Amino acid sequence: MSIPYRFDKDTNAGALAQSFNDLEPGAASGVIVTVAGRIMLNRPQGKLSFATLRDETGEVQLFGLASRTTDFEGLTKVNLGDWVGAKGEVVRTRRGELSVQVDDWTLLAEARRSFGDKWRGVSDHDLRYRQREVDLWANPQVRSTLQARSKIVQSMRQRLWADGYTEVETPILHPIPGGAIAKPFTTHHNALDTEFYLRIAPELYLKRLVIGGFEKVFEIGRLFRNEGISTRHNPEFTTIELYRAYADYEQMMELIEELVAGIAMDVLGTTTLTYQDRELDLSTPWRRATITELIEEATGKTFTVHSDRAELVAALNEAGVTAQASWGEGRLLTELFEATAEADLWQPTFVLHHPKEVSPLSRSHRDDPAITERFEAFVAGRELVNGFSELVDPDDQRLRFEDQAAAHASGDDEAMLVDEEYLRAMEHGLPPTGGLGLGIDRLVMLLTNTANIREVIAFPTLKPGPNQRAEVEAPESPSE
């Protein structure tokens, strides 16, 4: 049987289940449809043939009759995994199975590699992630999760468009890694004979667009950080970053809590959900608390960025973290928060007023220059959002960059460098601006009740298998 170049189907399994829900057992609908999908089960029974066809919306039975179906014998021999298109009347068998009574059918693709027992569900995690195309058929929940991801991003875009935001795209290849504290991936551009870095954040380019006159901008895209892999981290991940001229961090908090709650309503129909057997309430307003307040709740002691260094080191050691000599009071306070309070922030909480030392792009707090107008939103014990009133003074920004560059020179490979192009842009004037970044993978995990980030990424990063390593052979010398 030759494989066609196209196949025109007019419905799917999900639509049939909905449209013919009331069709009685043994009844025929009189409606002719054309469907297509993969054969998941084939049960020939003499002059009858029953096959289960699955598409992206669900399953429907194909019901073949030797007296009616074209190439009935061929239909009985279709292999598991083969792609098939079929045309016929919608009926419900006497046993109550909604079916397409096949008049004509076409083989659309042959499954030359057997799925075998994988049809009953793939449980080996490494195999699942390496062979996602198999996983999607063997574990339908995987497809549901990725479909939910698409709806979440769609809702996010539509809500921001409705609020007047312009979606933009900025470079992936950066001459200087910037916009976040992270270790970058490096690559070499042959034509320019220059080292580039896969972006760790789009922040500096997006703020240059604000300088250029865009008052509300956002970008959804991939970031790349050369860091470890865990249930919460993947070296390449997706975020949304957005910036709004004339706004501060208070307005950014209001925006993000309303955006996340709105997306939950769009996708789930509720802001109350269960995540890993614990209830979460995403309704607004979210709690707001300072780092100092949260540490005090966790330890019973009060620490601030102005606390004695020795006291901070002792508290950190007591929490099981070894303080580094290069850490100032701001870094020590932040590490103490992460060690004692972070994991217990289950309900949505804005953590406020991070030290200046760990916030090189945030504007100093209007009441205390040692801290910044920065927030992190934590949900279910993990960071979901980072945002702040943006630093707008180019002289202050240069000093922050120089402090980061000094740390980088001392061996901190996550510290930033001095970005002269961004400083030049700032000298044209950056108005008061609020900005934030939200991890889309983590938001999808939250709204789909998924514990492992790899489950919400179609193809998560893995160590290459034996068949994935590139082998570059030297070209043969031309014959003389």
Side-chain angles (χ1 to χ4, degrees):
M1 181 181 291
S2 62
I3 303 298
Y5 281 83
R6 61 182 281 178
F7 186 81
D8 298 323
K9 66 173 193 151
D10 56 25
T11 190
N12 56 49
L16 292 177
Q18 184 174 8
S19 299
F20 296 95
N21 182 56
D22 297 330
L23 191 64
E24 296 291 333
S29 69
V31 177
I32 305 298
V33 298
T34 305
V35 294
R38 195 188 284 275
I39 298 299
M40 305 298 293
L41 188 64
N42 195 5
R43 310 182 305 279
Q45 299 177 11
K47 295 185 180 298
L48 302 177
S49 177
F50 302 93
T52 300
L53 180 141
R54 181 183 294 172
D55 61 23
E56 69 173 353
T57 66
E59 295 181 350
V60 66
Q61 180 171 264
L62 301 184
F63 173 35
L65 293 168
S67 60
R68 178 167 179 166
T69 303
T70 301
D71 190 15
F72 174 81
E73 191 67 22
L75 183 62
T76 65
K77 296 178 180 178
V78 168
N79 294 316
L80 300 187
D82 285 351
W83 292 79
V84 165
K87 181 179 181 180
E89 184 179 8
V90 179
V91 302
R92 193 176 293 277
T93 65
R94 284 177 291 182
R95 294 188 175 183
E97 192 74 27
L98 185 66
S99 308
V100 174
Q101 185 170 288
V102 180
D103 293 325
D104 299 298
W105 69 280
T106 303
L107 181 67
L108 300 178
E110 180 184 359
R112 297 187 180 184
R113 186 182 292 271
S114 173
F115 284 80
D117 290 340
K118 300 182 184 69
W119 287 127
R120 288 189 281 275
V122 181
S123 58
D124 181 278
H125 288 288
D126 188 69
L127 179 63
R128 288 185 53 227
Y129 302 138
R130 288 189 189 281
Q131 299 184 25
R132 190 62 110 181
E133 64 280 1
V134 176
D135 187 29
L136 288 166
W137 290 105
N139 298 306
Q141 179 58 41
V142 177
R143 187 187 302 114
S144 297
T145 297
L146 295 181
Q147 288 170 330
R149 179 188 180 110
S150 178
K151 294 176 182 177
I152 289 166
V153 174
Q154 179 184 15
S155 170
M156 184 180 295
R157 279 194 163 102
Q158 289 176 336
R159 285 178 170 273
L160 289 173
W161 290 338
D163 197 22
Y165 280 81
T166 300
E167 184 171 9
V168 298
E169 292 182 327
T170 61
I172 299 291
L173 295 176
H174 288 191
I176 295 176
I181 298 175
K183 184 178 180 180
F185 288 93
T186 61
T187 187
H188 185 78
H189 191 289
N190 292 334
L192 297 178
D193 191 23
T194 302
E195 294 296 313
F196 279 89
Y197 304 87
L198 297 183
R199 72 176 176 192
I200 56 175
E203 177 168 341
L204 303 187
Y205 284 98
L206 290 171
K207 287 192 285 192
R208 287 172 67 178
L209 291 176
V210 175
I211 293 169
F214 283 88
E215 295 187 6
K216 293 182 176 181
V217 294
F218 76 92
E219 179 172 13
I220 295 174
R222 275 287 213 252
L223 305 185
F224 306 85
R225 297 183 183 178
N226 201 346
E227 59 188 18
I229 296 175
S230 73
T231 57
R232 300 183 183 186
H233 300 89
N234 194 67
E236 56 175 312
F237 57 99
T238 304
T239 68
I240 176 170
E241 287 209 16
L242 63 85
Y243 295 85
R244 175 179 163 188
Y246 317 122
D248 67 0
Y249 77 136
E250 291 283 356
Q251 290 165 298
M252 290 295 99
M253 284 188 279
E254 293 172 3
L255 183 153
I256 200 62
E257 65 186 357
E258 291 172 2
L259 180 63
V260 172
I263 292 169
M265 286 298 300
D266 291 342
V267 176
L268 303 177
T270 181
T271 56
T272 302
L273 58 143
T274 300
Y275 182 74
Q276 302 301 295
D277 299 323
R278 291 182 64 180
E279 187 174 289
L280 271 174
D281 184 2
L282 299 177
S283 62
T284 63
W286 294 0
R287 183 193 180 196
R288 288 154 170 76
T290 68
I291 284 182
T292 293
E293 291 168 341
L294 292 168
I295 293 175
E296 185 172 1
E297 289 178 8
T299 67
K301 300 177 181 179
T302 301
F303 296 97
T304 74
V305 72
H306 303 290
S307 294
D308 181 76
R309 176 183 171 82
E311 292 180 0
L312 287 168
V313 170
L316 199 55
N317 289 338
E318 186 177 340
V321 178
T322 301
Q324 303 297 313
S326 61
W327 293 355
E329 288 82 356
R331 176 69 181 272
L332 292 168
L333 184 71
T334 303
E335 294 285 342
L336 184 59
F337 160 73
E338 293 177 357
T340 62
E342 180 178 295
D344 294 328
L345 299 178
W346 189 262
Q347 297 298 335
T349 302
F350 287 119
V351 180
L352 309 178
H353 302 166
H354 295 66
K356 187 174 181 179
E357 180 182 351
V358 295
S359 309
L361 297 170
S362 305
R363 194 167 186 176
S364 297
H365 194 278
R366 60 199 77 181
D367 297 325
D368 184 351
I371 60 176
T372 60
E373 296 198 349
R374 176 184 171 191
F375 67 87
E376 290 180 308
F378 282 82
V379 184
R382 66 189 62 169
E383 179 195 345
L384 184 66
V385 185
N386 183 32
F388 30 84
S389 299
E390 301 295 331
L391 182 57
V392 298
D393 181 347
D395 296 329
D396 191 355
Q397 183 65 80
R398 178 176 291 279
L399 292 174
R400 307 270 194 104
F401 276 159
E402 289 174 351
D403 287 343
Q404 286 287 303
H408 191 277
S410 298
D412 185 351
D413 55 8
E414 293 187 347
M416 298 182 193
L417 301 175
V418 178
D419 189 330
E420 293 290 351
E421 283 297 299
Y422 178 63
L423 291 171
R424 176 197 54 75
M426 288 188 73
E427 290 173 355
H428 289 289
L430 174 63
T433 299
L436 62 85
L438 177 149
I440 289 178
D441 305 301
R442 290 187 178 181
L443 179 61
V444 176
M445 290 171 66
L446 194 68
L447 298 184
T448 60
N449 192 21
T450 302
N452 192 326
I453 194 171
R454 293 184 178 187
E455 298 292 341
V456 302
I457 299 174
F459 297 97
T461 303
L462 302 169
K463 186 176 182 178
N467 297 325
Q468 293 178 301
R469 300 183 187 278
E471 294 183 5
V472 180
E473 298 182 358
E476 295 182 1
S477 300
S479 301
E480 295 183 358

